[in-house]
Amino acid sequence: MLPIPFEMEYGNGNGIGTSTNGNSIENGLGSSIENGHGKGNSNVNGNEKVNGAKVIKMKPMESEMLREQGHIMVDFIADYYKNLEDSPHDFPVLSQVQPGYLRDVLPDSAPDQPESLKELLDDVSKKIIPGITHWQSPSYFAYYASSTSVAGFLGEMLNAGLSVVGFTWLTSPAATELEVIVLDWLAKLLQLPNHFLSTGKGGGVIQGTGCEAVLVVVLAARDRILKKVGITSLPRLVVYASDQTHSSFRKACLIGGIHEENIRLLKTDSSTNYEMPPESLEEAISHDLAKGFIPFFICATVGTTSSAAVDPLVPLGEIGKSYGIWMHVDAAYAGNACICPEYRKFIDGIENADSFNINAHKWLFANQTCSPLWVKDRYSLIDALKTNPEYLEYKVSKRDAVVNYKDWQISLSRRFRSLKLWMVLRLYGSENLRNFIRDHVNLAKHFEDYVAQDPHFEVVTIRYFSLVCFRLVTVDGDEDKCNERNRELLAAVNSTGKIFISHTTLSGKFILRFAVGAPLTEEKHVTEAWQIIHKHASILIRNGNC
């Protein structure tokens, strides 16, 4: 039997009730639905009769049922968050189930007849929750956070309720216009150059993820250069990034038809805190030009995935500008911190970038998924991605009269994501958002101080934001043994279920990552996390593994 993290009581209200083995299902509104069992030859169509009984046609979106069951669902989610804080022992941060566990506890096929919301939520408690890694736990310190908030949740709820599909201005004018306005707001908070605003030739668009953002700008840059050199030159196109750049960059290039051997990942090391070396970029470009290649894209990163390294945008941007190369800045994680004046310096040089993105769902509490992307020249993006089928045509007075976001992204359909970003900015205000980010950075410094004061540990990289990279130190210079014991420490800590941290490798060294970013995390959780790490490290040391 799987553990039950928590149980709830549900009212009977207007929810859908289930039958036992009878032939009718009560819908909670005083009517009866016959299931037609027995003869196998009945026909249900609209309000026709089955076995002599009138069938009530299903209404998937009935307002009173939504009100009743929506309250139940909000209570369920609120209780989940309360229990994450009050009963953490019932919620292992890293799920402890084994692969395939869910198939053993769910039926082989979907039900023929409706089940009750109570039954469904009971199954969520007993069968789904045990298989969740709790990203919103205050003791979640792995990868980078997927931040949530009440405002973000309410925005998602409103988005789901309105359920508009705003691929063109015509299909929901407010969805398009709010996105334009909110991304101008956020651009101003980040002090982005005016050419990224909608009032100029550029503008912003909310992509689903940073991976999508990188893909669309690679396609835009590719098409821009191919217009100059001809489509037959595609095999000679070359891109540049560091070996710390997110793996989605390579995927985006391959999707865009860039040959894998033309993806230059420049080596980084600890001497520059794993930043992309400008001199290496300049040398690689010069070498490729001499060989007849065509450099067309640079991907710089502010806050790399492994260690939150920051590529030097000023010299990289100057290099890109001098060669006419598109430079994109991927600031998915750390870009959010740049709404704070003291961290804005990390995107100095953004004026020479052609595009820039952050993930507001990582550290701006906008809930999954919300990845704002800004481009200097929106026409480069539109020309690469536009489609104009007759069934989507409508007349406007001029090209810039409206924005059609279908031409700024891969898919046609799009969600009303700007609602939740708008609600986050309005319900919290920029100063509260800045202070919350600062609190996370201070909590990371608190953890870093614990590490620095323990002679058995070392901080591996310079900490700029809320990520601490650390490890148990080497003994007698044996790096292989050091890597192995850090692996053992990671496994031991995560197996407790009390906290969850992740790892990376830097210069061949196995590194532990402690990333603060969950919205419920407080100092007591950081202190408890250190105590758990220290305890298991002490066991390894006593057993002679260190």
Side-chain angles (χ1 to χ4, degrees):
M1 174 69 70
L2 290 170
I4 304 175
F6 62 96
E7 295 181 351
M8 293 183 58
E9 295 295 328
Y10 308 97
N12 293 326
N14 291 330
I16 298 177
T18 59
S19 66
T20 53
N21 293 323
N23 287 334
S24 66
I25 297 174
E26 297 297 327
N27 70 2
L29 297 173
S31 54
S32 175
I33 301 175
E34 298 295 332
N35 67 13
H37 285 180
K39 299 295 184 182
N41 59 1
S42 58
N43 178 36
V44 180
N45 185 6
N47 290 331
E48 306 229 351
K49 292 185 178 181
V50 177
N51 291 343
K54 186 177 181 180
V55 174
I56 305 301
K57 189 174 182 179
M58 184 180 78
K59 296 175 69 174
M61 182 54 79
E62 199 279 321
S63 60
E64 289 308 312
M65 186 175 290
L66 174 64
R67 190 187 313 279
E68 176 74 22
Q69 298 193 353
H71 283 155
I72 293 173
M73 185 61 75
V74 168
D75 285 344
F76 182 89
I77 295 169
D79 283 351
Y80 167 73
Y81 276 91
K82 189 175 190 304
N83 280 282
L84 279 180
E85 293 188 273
D86 295 350
S87 305
H89 56 279
D90 290 330
F91 297 84
V93 186
L94 178 62
S95 176
Q96 306 295 302
V97 302
Q98 297 300 310
Y101 89 98
L102 196 56
R103 186 171 293 279
D104 292 335
V105 296
L106 290 184
D108 289 336
S109 59
D112 288 331
Q113 302 300 336
E115 299 177 359
S116 70
L117 181 60
K118 181 184 186 306
E119 285 180 304
L120 191 148
L121 292 182
D122 282 345
D123 274 354
V124 171
S125 293
K126 298 172 184 177
K127 301 171 184 178
I128 301 300
I129 295 293
I132 287 178
T133 289
H134 298 285
W135 285 67
Q136 305 311 316
S137 166
S139 297
Y140 180 96
F141 302 106
Y143 310 113
Y144 286 129
S146 172
S147 65
T148 58
S149 65
V150 172
F153 174 80
L154 294 177
E156 279 289 318
M157 182 186 292
L158 186 56
N159 182 4
L162 297 176
S163 197
V164 303
V165 185
F167 44 75
T168 63
W169 178 87
L170 184 69
T171 58
S172 273
T176 295
E177 296 193 12
L178 184 63
E179 188 160 335
V180 171
I181 292 166
V182 168
L183 290 187
D184 278 353
W185 284 8
L186 188 50
K188 291 172 183 176
L189 286 178
L190 291 161
Q191 301 176 57
L192 296 183
N194 287 337
H195 56 242
F196 284 123
L197 300 177
S198 64
T199 50
K201 291 183 178 180
V205 55
I206 300 178
Q207 304 287 337
T209 65
C211 303
E212 295 168 48
V214 171
L215 173 58
V216 297
V217 295
V218 165
L219 297 178
R222 179 202 64 185
D223 282 14
R224 186 180 73 170
I225 192 67
L226 288 178
K227 286 179 182 178
K228 296 178 181 179
V229 301
I231 195 169
T232 58
S233 297
L234 181 61
R236 295 191 290 136
L237 298 188
V238 181
V239 300
Y240 305 88
S242 85
D243 59 4
Q244 299 300 306
T245 303
H246 194 277
S247 60
S248 62
F249 174 65
R250 173 183 170 274
K251 183 182 290 188
C253 292
L254 295 177
I255 292 172
I258 309 305
H259 292 199
E260 183 150 23
E261 61 269 23
N262 291 354
I263 301 173
R264 311 282 189 252
L265 299 181
L266 306 177
K267 184 177 176 57
T268 62
D269 58 42
S270 59
S271 66
T272 59
N273 203 40
Y274 297 96
E275 301 169 4
M276 187 194 305
E279 60 275 12
S280 297
L281 176 63
E282 181 98 58
E283 181 181 346
I285 292 172
S286 298
H287 181 268
D288 283 330
L289 286 171
K291 293 287 188 179
F293 290 104
I294 304 172
F296 84 101
F297 195 90
I298 299 166
C299 186
T301 306
V302 174
T304 59
T305 303
S306 281
S307 65
V310 177
D311 290 337
L313 302 188
V314 172
L316 296 179
E318 290 172 351
I319 293 169
K321 186 177 181 180
S322 67
Y323 288 101
I325 300 173
W326 184 302
M327 185 173 85
H328 175 67
V329 177
D330 177 7
Y333 157 66
N336 297 281
C338 296
I339 67 170
C340 302
E342 63 269 34
Y343 301 120
R344 173 57 177 77
K345 63 186 178 182
F346 291 109
I347 57 172
D348 285 351
I350 195 67
E351 60 273 9
N352 284 327
D354 293 272
S355 52
F356 172 77
N357 81 278
I358 67 172
N359 281 357
H361 57 254
K362 271 192 169 69
W363 208 9
L364 209 58
F365 315 103
N367 292 44
Q368 287 274 358
T369 55
C370 184
S371 184
L373 166 70
W374 292 269
V375 290
K376 181 186 291 187
D377 175 15
R378 59 177 172 268
Y379 302 114
S380 294
L381 195 60
I382 293 169
D383 289 345
L385 300 172
K386 66 183 177 184
T387 55
N388 294 300
E390 180 62 30
Y391 53 80
L392 295 181
E393 281 292 331
Y394 63 98
K395 292 182 179 180
V396 293
S397 58
K398 56 182 180 179
R399 186 182 189 188
D400 287 329
V402 297
V403 172
N404 292 320
Y405 275 128
K406 71 179 179 63
D407 297 330
W408 297 51
Q409 62 179 30
I410 298 299
S411 64
L412 173 63
S413 297
R414 63 194 330 268
R415 303 177 70 237
F416 197 171
R417 290 189 177 98
S418 58
L419 270 177
K420 60 184 173 183
L421 192 53
W422 186 50
M423 293 180 72
V424 165
L425 293 173
R426 289 190 63 186
L427 294 179
Y428 297 135
S430 56
E431 197 53 39
N432 277 325
L433 292 171
R434 291 186 186 105
N435 287 335
F436 212 92
I437 288 170
R438 289 170 179 138
D439 286 345
H440 282 168
V441 174
N442 288 334
L443 289 175
K445 184 181 184 305
H446 187 61
F447 182 83
E448 182 183 45
D449 290 342
Y450 281 132
V451 174
Q453 293 165 13
D454 191 310
H456 295 293
F457 286 89
E458 65 176 340
V459 177
V460 178
T461 60
I462 299 171
R463 181 194 53 77
Y464 296 133
F465 306 105
S466 65
L467 172 68
V468 180
C469 291
F470 70 107
R471 67 170 187 163
L472 284 164
V473 298
T474 59
V475 176
D476 300 326
D478 189 337
E479 286 292 346
D480 289 339
K481 184 177 181 180
C482 183
N483 286 342
E484 183 57 33
R485 65 181 179 174
N486 277 287
R487 287 191 185 92
E488 292 175 5
L489 178 58
L490 178 71
V493 165
N494 287 340
S495 68
T496 67
K498 295 179 179 179
I499 66 170
F500 180 32
I501 61 176
S502 55
H503 77 281
T504 189
T505 56
L506 295 169
S507 301
K509 299 175 181 177
F510 189 91
I511 308 298
L512 306 178
R513 299 172 71 263
F514 188 91
V516 179
L520 297 176
T521 301
E522 299 175 2
E523 184 174 329
K524 64 181 180 182
H525 302 111
V526 172
T527 298
E528 181 185 12
W530 170 250
Q531 290 170 346
I532 292 169
I533 293 168
H534 185 269
K535 172 186 174 181
H536 286 276
S538 298
I539 293 172
L540 288 174
I541 292 169
R542 283 200 307 270
N543 291 341
N545 292 338
C546 294

Coordinates of all heavy atoms in Angstrom, one line a residue, residues 364-419:
L364 N 10.6 34.5 -10.9 CA 9.7 35.7 -10.8 C 8.3 35.3 -10.5 O 7.4 36.1 -10.7 CB 9.8 36.5 -12.1 CG 9.6 38.0 -12.0 CD1 10.6 38.7 -11.1 CD2 9.6 38.7 -13.4
F365 N 8.1 34.1 -10.0 CA 6.9 33.6 -9.4 C 5.7 33.6 -10.3 O 4.6 33.8 -9.9 CB 6.6 34.4 -8.1 CG 7.9 34.6 -7.3 CD1 8.6 35.7 -7.3 CD2 8.4 33.5 -6.6 CE1 9.8 35.9 -6.6 CE2 9.6 33.6 -5.9 CZ 10.3 34.8 -5.8
A366 N 6.0 33.4 -11.6 CA 4.9 33.4 -12.6 C 4.4 32.0 -12.9 O 3.6 31.9 -13.9 CB 5.4 34.1 -13.9
N367 N 4.8 31.0 -12.2 CA 4.3 29.6 -12.5 C 4.6 29.2 -13.9 O 4.7 30.0 -14.8 CB 2.8 29.5 -12.2 CG 2.4 29.7 -10.8 OD1 2.9 30.6 -10.1 ND2 1.5 28.8 -10.3
Q368 N 4.8 27.9 -14.0 CA 5.1 27.3 -15.3 C 3.9 27.5 -16.3 O 2.8 27.3 -15.9 CB 5.3 25.8 -15.1 CG 6.6 25.4 -14.5 CD 7.7 25.2 -15.5 OE1 7.6 25.4 -16.7 NE2 8.9 24.9 -14.9
T369 N 4.2 27.8 -17.5 CA 5.4 28.2 -18.1 C 5.3 29.6 -18.6 O 4.2 30.1 -19.0 CB 5.7 27.3 -19.4 OG1 4.6 27.4 -20.3 CG2 6.0 25.9 -19.0
C370 N 6.4 30.4 -18.5 CA 6.4 31.8 -18.9 C 7.8 32.3 -19.1 O 8.6 32.6 -18.2 CB 5.7 32.6 -17.7 SG 5.5 34.3 -18.1
S371 N 8.2 32.4 -20.4 CA 9.5 32.7 -20.8 C 9.5 34.0 -21.7 O 9.4 33.9 -22.9 CB 10.2 31.6 -21.5 OG 11.6 31.9 -21.8
P372 N 9.6 35.2 -21.1 CA 9.6 36.4 -22.0 C 10.9 36.4 -22.8 O 12.0 36.2 -22.4 CB 9.6 37.5 -20.9 CG 9.0 36.9 -19.7 CD 9.5 35.5 -19.7
L373 N 10.7 36.8 -24.1 CA 11.8 37.0 -25.0 C 11.6 38.3 -25.7 O 10.5 38.7 -26.1 CB 11.7 35.9 -26.1 CG 12.5 36.1 -27.4 CD1 14.0 36.0 -27.1 CD2 12.1 35.1 -28.5
W374 N 12.7 39.1 -25.8 CA 12.7 40.4 -26.4 C 13.7 40.3 -27.6 O 14.8 39.7 -27.5 CB 13.2 41.5 -25.5 CG 12.2 41.8 -24.4 CD1 11.2 42.7 -24.4 CD2 12.2 41.2 -23.1 NE1 10.6 42.7 -23.2 CE2 11.1 41.8 -22.4 CE3 13.0 40.2 -22.5 CZ2 10.8 41.4 -21.1 CZ3 12.7 39.9 -21.2 CH2 11.6 40.5 -20.5
V375 N 13.3 40.9 -28.7 CA 14.1 41.0 -29.9 C 14.3 42.5 -30.3 O 13.4 43.3 -30.1 CB 13.6 40.2 -31.1 CG1 13.6 38.7 -30.8 CG2 12.1 40.6 -31.4
K376 N 15.5 42.8 -30.9 CA 15.8 44.1 -31.3 C 15.0 44.4 -32.6 O 14.6 45.6 -32.8 CB 17.3 44.3 -31.5 CG 17.8 45.6 -32.0 CD 19.2 45.7 -32.3 CE 20.1 45.5 -31.1 NZ 21.6 45.7 -31.4
D377 N 14.9 43.4 -33.5 CA 14.2 43.6 -34.8 C 13.2 42.6 -34.9 O 13.4 41.4 -35.2 CB 15.2 43.5 -35.9 CG 14.6 43.6 -37.3 OD1 13.4 44.0 -37.4 OD2 15.3 43.2 -38.3
R378 N 11.9 42.9 -34.6 CA 10.8 41.9 -34.7 C 10.6 41.4 -36.0 O 10.1 40.2 -36.2 CB 9.5 42.5 -34.1 CG 9.0 43.7 -34.8 CD 7.6 44.2 -34.2 NE 7.1 45.4 -34.6 CZ 7.4 46.6 -34.1 NH1 8.2 46.7 -33.0 NH2 6.8 47.7 -34.6
Y379 N 11.0 42.1 -37.1 CA 10.7 41.6 -38.4 C 11.6 40.4 -38.8 O 11.2 39.6 -39.6 CB 10.9 42.8 -39.4 CG 10.0 43.9 -39.2 CD1 10.5 45.2 -38.8 CD2 8.6 43.8 -39.3 CE1 9.6 46.2 -38.5 CE2 7.7 44.8 -39.0 CZ 8.3 46.0 -38.6 OH 7.4 47.1 -38.3
S380 N 12.8 40.4 -38.2 CA 13.6 39.2 -38.4 C 13.0 37.9 -37.9 O 13.0 36.9 -38.5 CB 15.0 39.4 -37.7 OG 15.7 40.4 -38.3
L381 N 12.3 38.1 -36.7 CA 11.6 37.0 -36.1 C 10.3 36.6 -37.0 O 10.1 35.4 -37.3 CB 11.2 37.3 -34.7 CG 10.7 36.2 -33.8 CD1 11.9 35.2 -33.6 CD2 10.3 36.7 -32.4
I382 N 9.6 37.6 -37.3 CA 8.3 37.4 -38.0 C 8.6 36.8 -39.4 O 7.9 35.9 -39.9 CB 7.6 38.8 -38.2 CG1 7.1 39.2 -36.8 CG2 6.4 38.6 -39.1 CD1 6.5 40.7 -36.8
D383 N 9.6 37.3 -40.1 CA 9.9 36.8 -41.5 C 10.3 35.4 -41.5 O 10.0 34.7 -42.4 CB 11.0 37.7 -42.1 CG 10.5 39.1 -42.5 OD1 9.2 39.3 -42.5 OD2 11.3 40.0 -42.7
A384 N 10.9 34.9 -40.4 CA 11.3 33.5 -40.3 C 10.2 32.6 -39.9 O 10.2 31.4 -40.3 CB 12.4 33.4 -39.3
L385 N 9.2 33.1 -39.2 CA 8.1 32.2 -38.6 C 6.7 32.5 -39.1 O 5.8 31.8 -38.8 CB 8.2 32.4 -37.1 CG 9.5 32.1 -36.4 CD1 9.4 32.5 -34.9 CD2 9.8 30.6 -36.5
K386 N 6.5 33.5 -40.0 CA 5.1 33.8 -40.4 C 4.5 32.8 -41.3 O 5.1 32.1 -42.1 CB 5.1 35.2 -41.1 CG 5.8 35.2 -42.4 CD 5.8 36.6 -43.0 CE 6.6 36.6 -44.4 NZ 6.7 37.9 -45.0
T387 N 3.2 32.6 -41.1 CA 2.4 31.8 -42.0 C 1.1 32.6 -42.3 O 0.6 33.3 -41.4 CB 2.0 30.5 -41.3 OG1 1.3 30.8 -40.1 CG2 3.2 29.6 -41.1
N388 N 0.6 32.5 -43.5 CA -0.6 33.3 -43.8 C -1.6 32.5 -44.6 O -1.9 32.8 -45.7 CB -0.1 34.5 -44.7 CG 0.7 35.5 -43.9 OD1 0.3 36.0 -42.9 ND2 1.9 35.7 -44.3
P389 N -2.2 31.5 -44.0 CA -3.2 30.7 -44.7 C -4.5 31.6 -44.8 O -4.7 32.5 -44.0 CB -3.5 29.5 -43.7 CG -3.1 30.0 -42.4 CD -1.9 30.9 -42.6
E390 N -5.3 31.3 -45.8 CA -6.5 32.1 -46.1 C -7.4 32.2 -44.9 O -8.0 33.2 -44.6 CB -7.2 31.6 -47.3 CG -8.4 32.4 -47.7 CD -8.1 33.8 -48.1 OE1 -7.0 34.0 -48.6 OE2 -9.0 34.7 -47.9
Y391 N -7.5 31.1 -44.2 CA -8.5 31.0 -43.1 C -8.1 31.9 -41.9 O -8.9 32.1 -40.9 CB -8.8 29.6 -42.6 CG -7.5 28.8 -42.3 CD1 -6.9 28.9 -41.0 CD2 -7.0 27.9 -43.2 CE1 -5.8 28.2 -40.7 CE2 -5.9 27.1 -42.9 CZ -5.3 27.3 -41.7 OH -4.2 26.5 -41.4
L392 N -6.9 32.4 -41.9 CA -6.5 33.3 -40.8 C -6.3 34.8 -41.3 O -5.9 35.7 -40.5 CB -5.1 32.9 -40.2 CG -5.1 31.5 -39.5 CD1 -3.7 31.2 -38.9 CD2 -6.1 31.5 -38.4
E393 N -6.6 35.0 -42.6 CA -6.5 36.4 -43.1 C -7.5 37.3 -42.6 O -8.7 37.0 -42.5 CB -6.5 36.3 -44.6 CG -5.3 35.8 -45.3 CD -4.1 36.8 -45.2 OE1 -4.4 38.0 -45.1 OE2 -3.0 36.4 -45.2
Y394 N -7.1 38.5 -42.3 CA -8.1 39.6 -42.1 C -7.3 40.9 -42.4 O -6.1 41.0 -42.3 CB -8.6 39.7 -40.7 CG -7.6 39.9 -39.6 CD1 -7.4 41.1 -39.0 CD2 -6.8 38.8 -39.1 CE1 -6.5 41.3 -38.0 CE2 -5.9 39.0 -38.1 CZ -5.7 40.3 -37.6 OH -4.8 40.5 -36.6
K395 N -8.1 41.9 -42.8 CA -7.4 43.1 -43.3 C -7.1 44.1 -42.2 O -7.9 44.3 -41.3 CB -8.4 43.8 -44.3 CG -8.6 43.1 -45.6 CD -9.4 43.8 -46.6 CE -9.6 43.1 -47.9 NZ -10.5 43.8 -48.9
V396 N -5.9 44.7 -42.3 CA -5.5 45.8 -41.4 C -5.0 46.9 -42.2 O -4.5 46.7 -43.4 CB -4.4 45.3 -40.4 CG1 -5.0 44.3 -39.4 CG2 -3.2 44.7 -41.1
S397 N -4.9 48.1 -41.7 CA -4.6 49.2 -42.5 C -3.1 49.2 -42.9 O -2.7 49.7 -43.9 CB -4.9 50.5 -41.7 OG -4.2 50.5 -40.4
K398 N -2.2 48.7 -42.0 CA -0.8 48.6 -42.3 C -0.2 47.5 -41.5 O -0.8 47.0 -40.6 CB -0.1 50.0 -42.0 CG -0.3 50.5 -40.6 CD 0.4 51.8 -40.4 CE 0.2 52.3 -39.0 NZ 0.9 53.6 -38.8
R399 N 1.0 47.2 -41.9 CA 1.7 46.0 -41.3 C 1.8 46.1 -39.8 O 1.6 45.1 -39.1 CB 3.1 45.9 -41.9 CG 3.8 44.6 -41.5 CD 5.2 44.5 -42.0 NE 5.8 43.2 -41.8 CZ 7.1 42.9 -42.0 NH1 7.9 43.8 -42.6 NH2 7.5 41.7 -41.8
D400 N 2.1 47.3 -39.3 CA 2.3 47.4 -37.8 C 1.0 47.8 -37.0 O 1.0 48.1 -35.9 CB 3.3 48.5 -37.6 CG 4.7 48.1 -37.9 OD1 5.0 46.8 -37.8 OD2 5.5 48.9 -38.3
A401 N -0.1 47.7 -37.7 CA -1.4 48.1 -37.0 C -1.7 47.1 -35.8 O -2.2 47.6 -34.8 CB -2.5 48.0 -38.0
V402 N -1.4 45.9 -36.0 CA -1.6 44.9 -34.9 C -0.4 43.9 -34.8 O 0.3 43.8 -35.8 CB -2.9 44.1 -35.1 CG1 -4.1 45.0 -35.0 CG2 -2.9 43.3 -36.4
V403 N -0.3 43.3 -33.7 CA 0.6 42.2 -33.5 C -0.1 40.9 -33.6 O -1.1 40.7 -33.0 CB 1.3 42.3 -32.1 CG1 2.2 41.1 -31.8 CG2 2.1 43.6 -32.0
N404 N 0.5 40.0 -34.4 CA 0.0 38.6 -34.5 C 1.0 37.7 -34.0 O 2.0 37.3 -34.7 CB -0.4 38.2 -36.0 CG -1.6 39.0 -36.5 OD1 -2.5 39.2 -35.7 ND2 -1.5 39.5 -37.7
Y405 N 0.9 37.2 -32.7 CA 1.9 36.5 -32.1 C 2.2 35.1 -32.6 O 3.2 34.4 -32.3 CB 1.7 36.4 -30.6 CG 2.2 37.6 -29.8 CD1 1.4 38.3 -29.0 CD2 3.5 38.0 -29.9 CE1 1.8 39.4 -28.2 CE2 4.0 39.1 -29.2 CZ 3.1 39.8 -28.4 OH 3.6 40.9 -27.7
K406 N 1.3 34.6 -33.5 CA 1.5 33.3 -34.1 C 2.8 33.4 -35.0 O 3.4 32.3 -35.2 CB 0.3 33.0 -35.0 CG 0.2 33.8 -36.3 CD -1.0 33.4 -37.2 CE -1.1 34.3 -38.4 NZ 0.1 34.2 -39.3
D407 N 3.2 34.6 -35.4 CA 4.4 34.8 -36.2 C 5.6 35.1 -35.4 O 6.7 35.4 -36.0 CB 4.1 35.9 -37.2 CG 3.0 35.6 -38.2 OD1 2.8 34.4 -38.5 OD2 2.3 36.5 -38.6
W408 N 5.5 34.9 -34.1 CA 6.6 35.1 -33.2 C 7.0 33.8 -32.5 O 7.9 33.8 -31.6 CB 6.3 36.2 -32.1 CG 6.0 37.5 -32.6 CD1 5.1 37.9 -33.6 CD2 6.6 38.8 -32.1 NE1 5.1 39.3 -33.7 CE2 6.0 39.8 -32.8 CE3 7.5 39.1 -31.1 CZ2 6.3 41.2 -32.6 CZ3 7.9 40.4 -30.9 CH2 7.3 41.4 -31.6
Q409 N 6.4 32.7 -32.9 CA 6.6 31.4 -32.2 C 6.5 30.3 -33.1 O 6.1 30.4 -34.3 CB 5.6 31.3 -31.0 CG 4.2 31.3 -31.5 CD 3.2 31.1 -30.4 OE1 3.4 31.6 -29.3 NE2 2.1 30.5 -30.7
I410 N 6.8 29.1 -32.6 CA 6.7 27.9 -33.5 C 5.3 27.4 -33.7 O 4.8 27.2 -34.8 CB 7.5 26.7 -32.8 CG1 9.0 27.1 -32.7 CG2 7.3 25.4 -33.6 CD1 9.7 27.3 -34.0
S411 N 4.5 27.3 -32.6 CA 3.1 26.8 -32.7 C 2.2 27.9 -33.2 O 2.5 29.1 -33.1 CB 2.7 26.2 -31.4 OG 2.6 27.3 -30.4
L412 N 1.0 27.5 -33.6 CA -0.1 28.5 -33.9 C -0.8 28.9 -32.6 O -0.9 30.0 -32.2 CB -1.1 27.9 -34.9 CG -2.3 28.7 -35.2 CD1 -1.9 30.1 -35.8 CD2 -3.3 28.0 -36.1
S413 N -1.4 27.9 -31.9 CA -2.1 28.2 -30.7 C -1.2 28.7 -29.6 O 0.0 28.4 -29.5 CB -2.8 26.9 -30.2 OG -3.7 26.4 -31.1
R414 N -1.8 29.5 -28.8 CA -1.0 30.1 -27.6 C -1.9 30.4 -26.5 O -3.1 30.8 -26.7 CB -0.2 31.3 -28.1 CG -1.0 32.5 -28.5 CD -0.1 33.5 -29.2 NE 1.3 33.6 -28.8 CZ 1.7 34.4 -27.8 NH1 0.9 35.2 -27.2 NH2 3.0 34.3 -27.4
R415 N -1.4 30.3 -25.3 CA -2.2 30.6 -24.1 C -2.1 32.1 -23.7 O -1.2 32.8 -24.2 CB -1.7 29.7 -22.9 CG -1.7 28.2 -23.2 CD -1.1 27.4 -22.1 NE -2.0 27.4 -21.0 CZ -1.6 27.8 -19.7 NH1 -0.4 28.2 -19.5 NH2 -2.5 27.8 -18.7
F416 N -3.0 32.5 -22.8 CA -3.0 33.9 -22.4 C -2.0 34.0 -21.2 O -2.4 34.4 -20.1 CB -4.5 34.2 -22.0 CG -4.8 35.7 -21.9 CD1 -6.1 36.1 -21.7 CD2 -3.8 36.7 -21.9 CE1 -6.5 37.4 -21.6 CE2 -4.1 38.0 -21.8 CZ -5.5 38.4 -21.7
R417 N -0.8 33.8 -21.5 CA 0.2 33.8 -20.4 C 0.4 35.1 -19.7 O 0.9 35.2 -18.6 CB 1.5 33.2 -20.9 CG 1.5 31.7 -21.2 CD 3.0 31.3 -21.5 NE 3.0 29.8 -21.8 CZ 3.1 29.3 -23.0 NH1 3.0 30.1 -24.1 NH2 3.1 28.0 -23.2
S418 N 0.2 36.2 -20.5 CA 0.5 37.5 -19.9 C -0.4 37.8 -18.7 O 0.0 38.7 -17.9 CB 0.3 38.6 -21.0 OG -1.0 38.6 -21.5
L419 N -1.5 37.1 -18.6 CA -2.4 37.4 -17.4 C -1.7 37.1 -16.1 O -1.8 38.0 -15.2 CB -3.6 36.4 -17.5 CG -4.9 36.9 -18.3 CD1 -5.9 35.7 -18.3 CD2 -5.5 38.1 -17.6

